[in-house]
Amino acid sequence: MKRSKKKEENNTPLSSAKLSKWDRQYVWHPFTQMQEWEQEDPLIIEKGEGIYLYDIHGNKYLDGSSSIWVNLHGHRHRTLDTAIQNQLGNIAHSTLLGAASPPSIVLAKELVKIAPRGLTRVFYSDDGSTAVEVALKMAIQYWQQQRPPQKKKKTFVRLDVAYHGDTVGSMSVGGISLFHERFQPLLFPAIALDAPYCYRCPLHLRFPSCRTACLDPLEDLLSTRHGQIAGVVIEPMVQAVAGIITQPPGYLSRVRALCTKYDVLLIADEVATGFGRTGTMFACDHERVTPDLLCVAKGLTGGYLPLAATLTTENIYKAFLGEPGKTFFHGHSYTGNALGCAAALANLEIFKKEKTLVQVRKRSGMLQTLLKPLAELPIVGDIRQCGMMAGIELVKNRETREAFPLSERMGYRVAAECRRHGLLIRPIGNIVVLVPPLAATERQLRKMVNIVTKSCRILC
Ligand SMILES: *Cc1c(COP(=O)(O)O)cnc(C)c1O
């Protein structure tokens, strides 16, 4: 943690003390036990540059979580900064209800160009949760507007430990009990299937000899109950919040095939995996899958502004055409925000200019090599990675795979150690999660992994 002199000159200790006091006095942080937070000196990030973050004291940190999985090309990227400034010269926001705007038009066209083939329509919203809400509502209304109407098709299938956001609809198709259970009275029922958590396979099988047997129940379910099922909701390739649970090859394409066979919509939540995160533009591209509905958010603006989109097919779009009652009655105040769309366009421009996907593939190979030695540590049970997302599962006993009790807060302790060495990451339970910006160079990746290794060793 290097201190920059300049910072100390124009930032008096008093002002940082005040900020820290006011934060604890006025701000309620997300996913944070505020009683603990109030007792600590809060980390206050004031600046970013490339893949580094700087706090108000001038301490420098590697942004090992991409500011919670949103940042792609680094902070203060000139192309993004300029695009937003230029858009500000025209207008910050105007509504898409009854009017259009140049950046939202051009962005929709560009998104259709890069999306899995067959996705031709773009519906904007503000964040990952709303992108999922939109997909769920579109699916339900789509079935109602079939000729004849299929009003019984109203149930969703989801995976265990799924995470699709924190709003009521997206929680209903989620399965993280710590987050979701207490809200049960608000949630609609969805049918849960085992997650393909190969390290702790619910069927005690091994890939590939298992032949993705965990999907057999999906086939059984769809073959008998497809008349009641509106869609299957899935995070393709990686269930991120679940602890970077990576899906075995062929899993996603089998889900797609089953949905097609039984006339059930496939909703792909690519909020975390979209925009190069897994090494392809979309995770669905790994298996050449086109979902019926595709949800994107986090990386859409390169990590700059809250903007989301739900993409869908011409078939679904057409079901909403006709009399006024067939309208999709959904929209938010900031839907299609011009600054957000301008940032998203700049994001896509950088993908082209900097050949980001080529870089990511190289760098994820490096990351894989760098992570390998960690497998030797006595507390590391499993290392899972897909592109620039990695999860290191800490275990009490490598032989039995016995987990650390959550009360030991192993992930949290590793993360705290990493922070002392200048790396910010956010763990999930016993999983140390490393999600570097796509722009992280080999040197920077090496630094991150060295810090993670050192921090894990301390706790061995
Ligand atoms: C983060 C995330 C969401 C929720 O997105 P928000 O922008 O936080 O509402 C939904 N789905 C997945 C897979 C995510 O990772």
Side-chain angles (χ1 to χ4, degrees):
M1 286 186 269
K2 289 171 197 137
R3 273 164 194 276
S4 80
K5 266 203 185 130
K6 212 166 143 219
K7 190 73 259 137
E8 277 169 23
E9 280 162 22
N10 57 25
N11 201 337
T12 63
L14 181 65
S15 75
S16 59
K18 258 191 191 156
L19 283 168
S20 139
K21 176 169 174 270
W22 291 341
D23 180 79
R24 285 176 288 191
Q25 195 172 347
Y26 299 115
V27 182
W28 189 343
H29 288 263
F31 282 97
T32 302
Q33 177 42 259
M34 292 306 291
Q35 184 166 315
E36 278 172 30
W37 182 269
E38 283 183 21
Q39 279 151 21
E40 288 166 18
D41 196 21
L43 172 66
I44 305 176
I45 300 297
E46 186 179 42
K47 256 183 34 167
E49 190 72 56
I51 72 153
Y52 287 97
L53 296 169
Y54 298 83
D55 71 12
I56 50 168
H57 306 293
N59 296 316
K60 178 181 177 183
Y61 304 93
L62 288 151
D63 187 359
S65 78
S66 296
S67 297
I68 301 297
W69 313 352
V70 298
N71 193 279
L72 304 181
H73 312 292
H75 301 278
R76 302 226 44 221
H77 192 291
R78 182 154 331 142
T79 308
L80 279 154
D81 289 9
T82 309
I84 294 169
Q85 281 156 4
N86 288 347
Q87 180 57 41
L88 265 178
N90 284 331
I91 189 169
H93 178 73
S94 61
T95 182
L96 290 204
L97 277 69
S101 71
S104 63
I105 297 168
V106 182
L107 177 61
K109 179 167 181 288
E110 292 298 315
L111 286 175
V112 165
K113 230 192 260 175
I114 59 165
R117 188 190 299 261
L119 296 171
T120 52
R121 296 283 170 173
V122 178
F123 190 95
Y124 290 111
S125 62
D126 307 335
D127 51 52
S129 308
T130 51
V132 172
E133 297 282 342
V134 165
L136 299 175
K137 288 173 71 173
M138 277 183 179
I140 291 295
Q141 192 173 338
Y142 167 79
W143 291 117
Q144 288 174 3
Q145 292 176 184
Q146 294 302 295
R147 262 174 288 174
Q150 305 209 31
K151 293 198 171 151
K152 285 195 182 140
K153 278 174 90 72
K154 57 182 182 185
T155 305
F156 290 98
V157 178
R158 64 160 177 93
L159 292 182
D160 188 27
V161 285
Y163 179 83
H164 297 290
D166 294 333
T167 52
V168 171
S170 61
M171 280 196 295
S172 298
V173 289
I176 305 221
S177 51
L178 179 66
F179 304 166
H180 301 144
E181 214 157 73
R182 70 205 70 206
F183 300 113
Q184 209 59 51
L186 288 176
L187 308 183
F188 58 74
I191 303 170
L193 293 173
D194 283 336
Y197 189 1
C198 296
Y199 180 64
R200 300 182 186 281
C201 175
L203 302 173
H204 308 287
L205 297 172
R206 265 167 187 269
F207 185 81
S209 56
C210 66
R211 296 164 171 263
T212 56
C214 54
L215 281 178
D216 296 348
L218 179 62
E219 171 125 47
D220 295 342
L221 178 68
L222 294 187
S223 65
T224 53
R225 291 183 58 191
H226 60 89
Q228 293 128 51
I229 294 171
V232 174
V233 188
I234 191 171
E235 296 166 75
M237 298 308 288
V238 189
Q239 278 185 263
V241 175
I244 316 292
I245 295 181
T246 50
Q247 294 160 6
Y251 181 90
L252 179 62
S253 45
R254 190 169 167 209
V255 173
R256 170 71 275 183
L258 290 173
C259 288
T260 306
K261 183 171 173 190
Y262 295 106
D263 201 18
V264 159
L265 301 179
L266 176 61
I267 301 175
D269 175 356
E270 292 232 25
V271 172
T273 53
F275 302 97
R277 180 52 70 191
T278 67
T280 48
M281 188 53 91
F282 297 101
C284 282
D285 298 338
H286 285 278
E287 308 224 325
R288 295 174 195 277
V289 157
T290 297
D292 299 285
L293 293 138
L294 173 76
C295 310
V296 295
K298 288 191 171 95
L300 173 57
T301 59
Y304 266 55
L305 286 163
L307 180 75
T310 305
L311 279 73
T312 192
T313 59
E314 214 56 19
N315 175 43
I316 292 185
Y317 173 77
K318 278 197 179 137
F320 291 76
L321 302 180
E323 65 264 28
K326 283 191 171 180
T327 305
F328 186 50
F329 291 105
H330 186 108
H332 303 279
S333 314
Y334 284 100
T335 287
N337 177 261
L339 289 177
C341 290
L345 280 167
N347 173 33
L348 298 183
E349 191 186 319
I350 297 170
F351 265 91
K352 278 189 215 151
K353 255 196 339 211
E354 300 184 3
K355 300 195 167 43
T356 304
L357 289 179
V358 178
Q359 295 295 337
V360 176
R361 279 194 278 271
K362 261 194 250 166
R363 286 168 184 163
S364 37
M366 287 169 194
L367 182 59
Q368 191 182 7
T369 311
L370 290 167
L371 287 170
K372 237 175 223 153
L374 267 156
E376 305 303 316
L377 297 182
I379 56 167
V380 172
D382 193 25
I383 299 174
R384 298 183 286 272
Q385 187 210 352
C386 187
M388 294 288 253
M389 310 183 94
I392 300 151
E393 179 159 347
L394 306 176
V395 287
K396 195 162 182 175
N397 185 322
R398 268 155 55 108
E399 304 313 314
T400 62
R401 305 191 174 182
E402 185 195 346
F404 282 108
L406 284 182
S407 58
E408 286 192 34
R409 312 186 77 192
M410 287 299 285
Y412 174 88
R413 282 158 65 194
V414 170
E417 202 56 53
C418 287
R419 178 174 157 188
R420 277 190 276 278
H421 292 98
L423 168 68
L424 295 182
I425 53 170
R426 190 162 168 99
I428 301 169
N430 288 324
I431 323 288
V432 175
V433 178
L434 188 61
V435 181
L438 305 188
T441 62
E442 178 173 12
R443 226 183 107 247
Q444 291 165 336
L445 290 173
R446 190 180 297 276
K447 256 192 198 169
M448 290 189 199
V449 175
N450 282 345
I451 295 174
V452 170
T453 310
K454 210 184 316 180
S455 305
C456 287
R457 267 217 190 96
I458 290 173
L459 295 174
C460 281

